[in-house]
Amino acid sequence: MKQLNTSVETMKTLICASNPTHYISKCSPWRPKFPALYPRTAEKLNYPLSTIKPHANAKGFSSRPSNVESDVTGKKPPSKGKNNGDDELPQVVLNRIIGRILFSVGVPMGLGLALLYVFGMLKERQIWDVPIWIPFFTTFLTFGTSTLGIAFGTLSTSLDAEREGSFLGLNEVQKNWVEMWQDEDSS
C-alpha cells in the first residue's frame, strides 16, 4: 500500500511540475519525414509579434482589398481607382439576393418540416406505419436542397439593378457562374 501511495505522490509531482514540457532532440523513428519540434520565441522570428494583424476578408465583401504588406508595415497600399477595384452592389440587388436566398432555402426546409409532421401524424393515428427510411430520405433530400438554395439564390440573381431577371433565374445562373470563375482565374 505504501508503494501505491508513493507512486501516486510521484505522479502528482510530475503533473504539477513547473516545467513539464519536454523537447525532442531528434526525429522520431516512426515519422522520419517530420523535423523535431523546437520552441519558437519572439527573438527567433524575423518580425515582432505586435505587428501581426488578422486580415480575413472574403472576396467581394470588403470595401478595400486585403494586403498583408500594408497590415504589417502600416502603410496604405496604392489606390487603383475610385474604389480599389471592388465593385459594390447596389442595395436593390442586395435585397433581391436576400429575397431569393430566403425563398430558395425556406421553401425546401418548410416542405421537409411539413413532411415530418405529416409522417408523424400518420403514424400517431395509426393510418400508415411509415418505414423509418422514408422520413430519413425526405429529410436528407429537402434539407440538402435547402442548403444548396443558398448558392442557387445568390447565383440566380440578376446583378443589374435595372433588370429584375426571370422567376427561376436559370439564365442568370449560367451568366453568373461563368463570370464567377472568370474573376477567380484573373486574380
Side-chain angles (χ1 to χ4, degrees):
M1 187 69 176
K2 184 174 181 171
Q3 185 180 11
L4 181 63
N5 286 339
T6 308
S7 63
V8 169
E9 291 298 321
T10 306
M11 291 297 285
K12 286 182 182 178
T13 305
L14 288 175
I15 291 173
C16 298
S18 63
N19 192 3
T21 307
H22 300 285
Y23 300 112
I24 301 171
S25 61
K26 61 181 179 177
C27 294
S28 169
W30 295 282
R31 291 189 171 192
K33 294 181 181 178
F34 297 106
L37 301 174
Y38 295 104
R40 292 187 65 165
T41 58
E43 56 269 1
K44 288 186 179 182
L45 298 174
N46 294 333
Y47 50 88
L49 292 176
S50 62
T51 61
I52 299 175
K53 296 179 185 175
H55 55 278
N57 290 329
K59 181 178 176 184
F61 290 95
S62 174
S63 62
R64 66 172 182 85
S66 177
N67 189 344
V68 177
E69 183 179 323
S70 69
D71 289 345
V72 174
T73 61
K75 298 177 185 175
K76 290 187 177 182
S79 65
K80 297 178 183 175
K82 183 178 178 183
N83 48 358
N84 293 335
D86 258 351
D87 295 332
E88 293 185 18
L89 292 174
Q91 190 64 36
V92 175
V93 175
L94 288 176
N95 292 340
R96 197 179 302 151
I97 289 173
I98 291 170
R100 282 192 178 263
I101 289 175
L102 289 176
F103 181 78
S104 61
V105 169
V107 169
M109 187 174 290
L111 180 65
L113 292 173
L115 284 173
L116 286 177
Y117 179 75
V118 167
F119 292 147
M121 292 303 291
L122 289 174
K123 193 166 191 168
E124 182 180 303
R125 294 184 181 173
Q126 298 177 349
I127 297 172
W128 182 39
D129 189 21
V130 181
I132 194 72
W133 65 269
I134 293 177
F136 281 130
F137 180 73
T138 56
T139 302
F140 177 74
L141 186 67
T142 56
F143 286 16
T145 305
S146 178
T147 304
L148 291 176
I150 297 169
F152 180 77
T154 305
L155 287 173
S156 66
T157 304
S158 172
L159 300 178
D160 186 14
E162 288 83 31
R163 195 170 60 87
E164 182 75 26
S166 64
F167 178 71
L168 290 178
L170 296 178
N171 293 333
E172 286 80 11
V173 168
Q174 291 174 348
K175 180 182 162 192
N176 291 340
W177 184 263
V178 170
E179 285 182 16
M180 178 181 70
W181 288 108
Q182 283 176 350
D183 288 346
E184 189 68 29
D185 290 339
S186 66
S187 40

